[in-house]
Amino acid sequence: MSAASPVPAAGDSGPVLQASPVATNDAAVVESPQPLNTAPGQQNADQTSYFASTRTEAPADSPMQAASGSRSSADLLRRLSLVDGDRPATPYLDPQVEYPALNLTGRILSATFCIPHTLGFKSGRDWDIRPRRGTSALFDSFTHLSEAGTIWDHTLVGWTGEIKPSDDMPSRPQSPVEGSSSSKNSLNKTLPVPLNNLSAPVPVDGSVRPSAPQPHGDGIRVTKADRECLEKQLRRDKSGKIVPVWLMDRSEDNKDDVVLKDQGRWRRYAEHEIYTLFHYKQHEPTDGRAERRWWTDYCQMNQTFANRILEIYKPGDIVWVHDYHLLLLPSILRQRLPHIYLGFFLHVPFPSSEFLRCLSRRKEILTGVLGANMIGFQTFSYSRHFSSCCTRILGFDAVSAGVDAYGAHIAVDVFPIGIDAAACAKLAYGNRVIEDKIQRIRAQYAGQKIIVGRDRLDTVRGVAQKLQAFEKFLERHPEWRGKVVLIQVTSPTSIEEEKEDGGHKMANKISNLVAKINGLYGGLEYTPVFHFPQYLSQDEYFALLRVADVGLITSVRDGMNTTSLEYVVCQRDNHGPLILSEFSGTAGSLTSAMHINPWDLIGVAEAIHEALTMPAEEKANQQRMSYRHVTTNTVQLWQKTYLTRLLANLASFNQSFSTPPLDKALLLTRYRLAKKRLFMFDYDGTLTPIVKDPQAAIPTDRVIRTIKTLAQDKRNAVWIISGRDQAFLDEWMGHISELGLSAEHGSFIRHPETDAWENLTETVDMGWQTEVIEIFQHYTEKTQGSFIERKRIALTWHYRRSDPEYGAFQARECKKHLENTVGKKWDVEVMSGKANLEVRPTFVNKGEIAKKLVASYGFGSGEPPEFVLCLGDDNTDEDMFRTLRATKLPPENVFSVTVGASSKQTLASWHLLEPADVIAAVALLNGNVSGSNVDATLAAGY
């Protein structure tokens, strides 16, 4: 993510754009001024709270009320997105009032990789604390959460970052007071030439050469007293409470003194492996030794963060985890605190499944994030990629609204981040120093149009593509030579892998391109490209954005490029067009900008020409639309919207969708009291896991022993009611003579103590099968990996081995085809199962068998069963649950249990997560048939 508001810098001395490069637009921590267009002294109620003080609103305006009637995750997302028809939903009530069932404490614990400060250390003294460059939009949001007027009690948890001895820290810049003599003189003061224009970072004070680096072979020793001193200083920080995380070797744990040696190790896996792959870059293959070390450090870092959060966590707190350094943290916290309220937001792109598959730890990364209740992304395409990866790599059911995994529904949503537009405008306007710099820049480039680019020295920022496109522009439009200049500012990278570009390939490539363009099209009186590989002061940065005639951003892969948002704010009066890469996360938000493909050099060149020749009215219209978006969709609104959606999802799924877990204590009690019991089990997905090859779904020894033990009790009638054919059930379960079997969803049954199968569909006309086979064959040829299973009665089309998304699409098309043809001529039913489509006679379903069994063991032949346990996992099993609801059996004696996520829509009264839990529950009953251990079992929490 690109930077936002710059840090206050040293006095602006020296030539324009070569003044002391002490600051960047990467890390300002500024107080949020009043909103734009708000009169001085006027207080906006929404500024003091994310959920403003109570006000009278129509019921439909409440996100909770809007979500309360939703019937699915997709419907919930739609209802939260649109309240009152087409107006974006915004919260109006205190969340503790609106969501009383959540028992919120009002505290938010934000976990981010680094605290918003760089630290200088000298033992026994106060720490040297300075603003950190980068991700300032995120840091601004933390500051806003910590303001006195909000209802939230915010705490930031983050790593200290690489600690440097205070002697190695660059000298603090001294900003002159506006209007003072030092400020005036600084405009004419000339600095020495930077030590190396191609190196990064450039020294903060260019007039002072840095001291020689001091070796720290033994590391930096930080005592317990020093750590407590830092924590005390951070508690008084104006940006809010900060709890530092100390990352150290395991051998240093529980020691008073900590020795910090290789501090960069905690970045390496995230920034070498995850960051590069998330930006669609791949490394050459290696022996994997370094990656394994980095992965160990990455896991340890996430575990340390979890330990630190648990030290301060209270039930009812909201934990908000940020970005790719902490992808494992949600799962770690969820394992230790199952009922934690946890959100995650990714600030960088998320790749397609084709790229994520190249990551050796892909499954661990995905399952780590799925510990959150809600996962947020910058754009819809990133959220779509994530959902697709969960389906393709982990096999979970996923749609754009969320993922069903591990017995829970994880919401997936889109939240484009913004900037603090009011603070940006306040910094950019009304400053006489900036006005003077604007005049000087205009005088320096008099008679020339100014194109401005500002990027980090990362390969994904597309600086090389920008220069190549500008060269193509000058080649194709010679009339602009001498009339336009490109000012490109390239600040040092913050990514570990980019820093380790030992040959300076990227810097050298940019330098060579600049020299080539200036050599081809420049001269003594004209220089087409001015390249400044350095940080800019805050004043220079805003002056440059305000004076620009065109903003040019050509990133080849980017999260949310906030430089483009700041450019829009700074062009309030000038109306300079913005040319924006379609690969930037901002492109989806700034729809009025000129979108370009950075790989299409001619296209970019023509976009530059179009921007330079655009009529004033069109420029004003574009600016008006962009300005309205940037000043409305601020970082404060981003934060507010995220928390609103998180709370609404928590409340809705907790109250509306959640099927409670099976109460094993109650199950065991009812089982013991009953003298006549009926068990009905599905097979695939209930007794055995779903596998790609149906023939490989064979029962384990434990499953067979558990079912056999249950069936041997004379008080138990145990049935397996499956879609499998007779041959499969006979092969794997037929040897248990006490077990009743039903094949093909009730078409055939085999009673206990017999070997003969009874055909319940003997008199049915099966002429429909010929037509169904033809249709299935048509879709089998179109869908690679699919196949047809022909049973005695039913026909099933399987697509488990196919691409999951394409297979599901083809299944929908096939189902429509069947319903419009065979379904209208024959009395058949088309059923969607787990990665399959089945056609069977309408009267054949598991519900009919369940009805027969309840009647045969109950009202039709004496006393009804006193205990019924029915388990299944898919749509075909809902027929059994529906039948049991319609019986006259006492509800307290009937346990209908679905296997899978608690959030899925079902007629069952209880749920278990997976087949292993089913076997564990049945084994519990087997182990307590005599009732001797019931009390111990109940005491253990079953």
Side-chain angles (χ1 to χ4, degrees):
M1 184 180 69
S2 287
S5 309
V7 177
D12 35 65
S13 51
V16 176
L17 299 183
Q18 290 185 4
S20 55
V22 299
T24 174
N25 60 320
D26 279 10
V29 179
V30 296
E31 296 181 2
S32 298
Q34 294 191 11
L36 298 177
N37 305 321
T38 301
Q42 178 182 351
Q43 180 63 43
N44 186 335
D46 287 338
Q47 285 292 104
T48 61
S49 172
Y50 292 114
F51 302 85
S53 301
T54 56
R55 60 174 80 167
T56 304
E57 294 291 337
D61 283 345
S62 167
M64 182 60 201
Q65 293 180 7
S68 61
S70 55
R71 302 300 302 164
S72 66
S73 56
D75 187 36
L76 173 64
L77 182 62
R78 180 186 64 80
R79 288 168 177 265
L80 290 176
S81 299
L82 296 175
V83 176
D84 284 353
D86 58 358
R87 179 173 56 80
T90 54
Y92 293 104
L93 299 176
D94 185 318
Q96 292 174 298
V97 175
E98 189 167 3
Y99 307 101
L102 297 180
N103 295 317
L104 298 172
T105 62
R107 300 203 319 160
I108 295 179
L109 309 180
S110 294
T112 188
F113 179 53
C114 287
I115 63 175
H117 305 293
T118 57
L119 302 176
F121 168 72
K122 193 161 188 177
S123 184
R125 298 186 182 180
D126 281 351
W127 291 70
D128 187 0
I129 301 178
R130 306 186 186 185
R132 180 183 299 277
R133 298 185 177 102
T135 61
S136 67
L138 177 61
F139 292 155
D140 285 348
S141 72
F142 295 151
T143 302
H144 191 266
L145 267 179
S146 302
E147 288 176 351
T150 68
I151 63 169
W152 296 110
D153 180 5
H154 180 254
T155 301
L156 174 62
V157 180
W159 178 41
T160 58
E162 290 89 345
I163 296 173
K164 298 179 180 179
S166 293
D167 295 340
D168 290 355
M169 294 282 283
S171 59
R172 274 186 196 273
Q174 300 296 324
S175 299
V177 178
E178 185 178 338
S180 66
S181 58
S182 61
S183 174
K184 296 175 183 177
N185 293 337
S186 67
L187 293 175
N188 300 314
K189 181 180 177 182
T190 303
L191 282 178
V193 176
L195 299 180
N196 182 355
N197 274 344
L198 295 181
S199 65
V202 177
V204 169
D205 187 347
S207 62
V208 179
R209 290 182 176 272
S211 58
Q214 299 297 318
H216 300 291
D218 296 332
I220 300 174
R221 183 172 296 277
V222 183
T223 66
K224 182 178 181 181
D226 289 324
R227 299 199 300 275
E228 291 174 349
C229 176
L230 174 63
E231 294 182 15
K232 183 177 180 181
Q233 286 181 252
L234 292 177
R235 282 196 296 269
R236 301 193 302 264
D237 191 82
K238 66 178 182 179
S239 60
K241 289 181 288 187
I242 299 176
V243 175
V245 174
W246 298 92
L247 296 177
M248 62 198 81
D249 291 332
R250 294 186 186 277
S251 59
E252 301 290 337
D253 287 350
N254 303 319
K255 291 186 177 181
D256 287 344
D257 291 0
V258 173
V259 179
L260 305 176
K261 296 181 180 179
D262 182 11
Q263 299 182 68
R265 60 188 280 196
W266 310 110
R267 296 180 177 272
R268 291 197 181 110
Y269 189 83
E271 297 182 3
H272 279 260
E273 301 297 314
I274 299 176
Y275 178 88
T276 52
L277 190 132
F278 278 23
H279 286 80
Y280 290 80
K281 297 194 299 179
Q282 286 183 267
H283 297 296
E284 293 295 325
T286 65
D287 61 8
R289 294 180 183 178
E291 288 81 358
R292 286 192 290 273
R293 290 197 304 271
W294 299 342
W295 173 252
T296 301
D297 291 338
Y298 187 76
C299 294
Q300 181 184 339
M301 176 184 71
N302 278 262
Q303 186 65 59
T304 305
F305 264 82
N307 294 338
R308 193 68 163 122
I309 290 172
L310 291 175
E311 291 175 7
I312 59 176
Y313 172 82
K314 297 178 181 178
D317 288 353
I318 295 173
V319 178
W320 192 357
V321 182
H322 294 269
D323 229 2
Y324 61 96
H325 292 89
L326 303 176
L327 291 170
L328 303 183
L329 182 57
S331 179
I332 296 173
L333 289 173
R334 179 69 59 194
Q335 291 172 17
R336 300 174 70 173
L337 297 170
H339 302 294
I340 190 174
Y341 302 146
L342 201 157
F344 180 86
F345 189 83
L346 185 68
H347 294 262
V348 298
F350 194 90
S352 69
S353 61
E354 294 304 314
F355 258 82
L356 191 67
R357 284 175 176 174
C358 301
L359 190 65
S360 61
R361 301 289 182 173
R362 57 196 183 180
K363 290 187 177 180
E364 291 89 337
I365 293 297
L366 288 173
T367 54
V369 181
L370 289 173
N373 295 107
M374 186 175 79
I375 303 169
F377 295 92
Q378 298 276 16
T379 70
F380 176 73
S381 63
Y382 302 160
S383 69
R384 178 170 53 84
H385 289 163
F386 177 79
S387 298
S388 176
C389 287
C390 290
T391 298
R392 294 172 181 274
I393 296 175
L394 299 180
F396 293 139
D397 292 334
V399 294
S400 59
V403 180
D404 290 325
Y406 307 116
H409 176 83
I410 297 93
V412 176
D413 213 335
V414 178
F415 306 92
I417 198 170
I419 60 172
D420 190 339
C424 181
K426 184 177 181 181
L427 292 170
Y429 292 92
N431 185 328
R432 187 174 57 80
V433 175
I434 293 179
E435 300 296 335
D436 289 344
K437 286 185 177 293
I438 290 174
Q439 295 304 318
R440 293 180 61 195
I441 295 173
R442 283 177 175 159
Q444 183 172 345
Y445 303 102
Q448 296 175 325
K449 296 289 187 179
I450 300 175
I451 302 174
V452 169
R454 185 270 172 196
D455 307 273
R456 287 205 303 259
L457 189 63
D458 297 349
T459 54
V460 298
R461 303 300 171 181
V463 179
Q465 285 83 351
K466 182 185 304 183
L467 293 171
Q468 290 169 332
F470 186 67
E471 178 188 357
K472 188 65 66 176
F473 164 73
L474 294 177
E475 174 190 322
R476 294 172 64 88
H477 296 279
E479 69 275 13
W480 281 103
R481 298 172 190 173
K483 299 178 182 178
V484 63
V485 294
L486 170 63
I487 299 177
Q488 175 63 43
V489 179
T490 309
S491 59
T493 182
S494 60
I495 301 302
E496 182 80 8
E497 194 215 346
E498 302 280 1
K499 290 179 182 178
E500 296 183 4
D501 177 15
H504 303 291
K505 295 179 182 177
M506 190 64 195
N508 290 338
K509 182 176 182 178
I510 293 173
S511 178
N512 291 337
L513 284 170
V514 171
K516 177 184 176 183
I517 296 171
N518 289 339
L520 283 174
Y521 303 108
L524 294 177
E525 297 181 354
Y526 171 58
T527 303
V529 180
F530 290 86
H531 179 221
F532 299 92
Q534 60 189 63
Y535 289 119
L536 293 183
S537 71
Q538 173 182 290
D539 296 339
E540 288 171 333
Y541 175 71
F542 282 121
L544 191 60
L545 292 187
R546 285 184 57 187
V547 80
D549 295 293
V550 176
L552 183 55
I553 295 175
T554 55
S555 50
V556 296
R557 189 66 57 178
D558 203 357
M560 188 56 63
N561 190 300
T562 51
T563 299
S564 60
L565 306 180
E566 293 165 345
Y567 176 82
V568 169
V569 173
C570 292
Q571 287 292 312
R572 185 180 66 185
D573 302 323
N574 198 33
H575 302 169
L578 172 64
I579 301 175
L580 182 61
S581 169
E582 64 188 46
F583 296 107
S584 169
T586 322
S589 302
L590 295 178
T591 55
S592 58
M594 301 174 63
H595 293 178
I596 50 93
N597 178 358
W599 301 102
D600 178 10
L601 301 183
I602 294 178
V604 179
E606 294 306 312
I608 294 173
H609 181 261
E610 181 183 349
L612 292 172
T613 57
M614 184 178 294
E617 183 178 356
E618 185 177 350
K619 290 195 292 185
N621 287 336
Q622 286 190 4
Q623 171 63 18
R624 182 166 52 251
M625 294 172 63
S626 296
Y627 190 79
R628 184 186 301 116
H629 173 85
V630 173
T631 55
T632 302
N633 296 276
T634 62
V635 69
Q636 292 90 342
L637 181 64
W638 166 77
Q639 195 174 68
K640 178 192 296 184
T641 305
Y642 184 94
L643 292 172
T644 304
R645 296 281 180 89
L646 174 61
L647 293 172
N649 274 288
L650 288 170
S652 296
F653 282 105
N654 280 348
Q655 297 172 12
S656 303
F657 300 148
S658 180
T659 303
L662 177 61
D663 187 336
K664 295 180 181 178
L666 180 62
L667 179 76
L668 187 58
T669 301
R670 292 292 178 185
Y671 178 86
R672 181 191 176 197
L673 294 175
K675 298 293 188 287
K676 193 174 187 181
R677 311 166 183 138
L678 175 61
F679 294 83
M680 293 177 281
F681 297 95
D682 173 42
Y683 184 79
D684 290 286
T686 302
L687 295 179
T688 62
I690 297 292
V691 293
K692 287 191 174 183
D693 183 1
Q695 297 305 313
I698 59 177
T700 64
D701 289 341
R702 187 187 181 204
V703 170
I704 293 174
R705 288 197 308 270
T706 302
I707 295 298
K708 185 172 183 178
T709 302
L710 187 71
Q712 285 174 338
D713 190 322
K714 299 300 182 182
R715 291 168 292 183
N716 298 341
V718 184
W719 283 78
I720 293 179
I721 305 175
S722 172
R724 294 283 187 164
D725 59 22
Q726 302 153 269
F728 183 92
L729 293 179
D730 265 335
E731 180 180 1
W732 295 107
M733 298 301 237
H735 63 283
I736 305 177
S737 59
E738 302 88 353
L739 187 64
L741 301 174
S742 173
E744 298 192 30
H745 300 293
S747 299
F748 300 89
I749 61 172
R750 196 198 79 171
H751 291 278
E753 308 295 346
T754 65
D755 295 327
W757 284 87
E758 179 184 349
N759 185 353
L760 302 181
T761 61
E762 226 169 358
T763 61
V764 178
D765 184 357
M766 305 301 291
W768 55 269
Q769 288 192 337
T770 303
E771 295 182 44
V772 173
I773 283 286
E774 292 178 359
I775 295 173
F776 276 172
Q777 189 62 44
H778 170 73
Y779 284 92
T780 300
E781 292 170 358
K782 293 175 61 177
T783 311
Q784 185 178 6
S786 64
F787 62 94
I788 302 169
E789 180 185 6
R790 185 163 189 169
K791 306 173 184 177
R792 290 278 300 274
I793 300 298
L795 293 173
T796 306
W797 183 66
H798 294 274
Y799 56 92
R800 291 180 190 172
R801 301 173 184 170
S802 307
D803 178 275
E805 293 179 349
Y806 185 67
F809 167 76
Q810 289 291 72
R812 290 192 296 269
E813 294 297 308
C814 183
K815 185 176 182 180
K816 291 178 187 176
H817 192 170
L818 289 166
E819 290 173 341
N820 291 330
T821 54
V822 180
K824 291 184 177 180
K825 294 191 295 183
W826 299 88
D827 191 16
V828 296
E829 183 178 23
V830 184
M831 291 292 297
S832 298
K834 286 194 173 180
N836 67 67
L837 205 61
E838 182 164 286
V839 183
R840 64 189 186 214
T842 303
F843 67 89
V844 175
N845 61 68
K846 293 183 179 181
E848 290 297 321
I849 290 298
K851 186 186 300 183
K852 289 179 182 291
L853 294 178
V854 170
S856 62
Y857 285 94
F859 299 105
S861 58
E863 293 298 321
E866 300 169 348
F867 175 91
V868 177
L869 176 60
C870 178
L871 298 104
D873 71 306
D874 65 12
N875 291 335
T876 63
D877 302 308
E878 295 296 318
D879 292 330
M880 292 194 292
F881 303 150
R882 185 179 296 105
T883 295
L884 290 176
R885 284 196 171 199
T887 65
K888 297 179 182 179
L889 296 173
E892 63 272 17
N893 292 343
V894 178
F895 291 82
S896 56
V897 184
T898 187
V899 181
S902 62
S903 57
K904 72 177 181 180
Q905 297 296 300
T906 180
L907 294 172
S909 301
W910 309 92
H911 95 280
L912 290 170
L913 290 183
E914 55 187 358
D917 296 326
V918 173
I919 300 306
V922 176
L924 173 67
L925 302 182
N926 288 338
N928 291 274
V929 170
S930 65
S932 58
N933 295 323
V934 171
D935 293 336
T937 303
L938 294 176
Y942 289 103

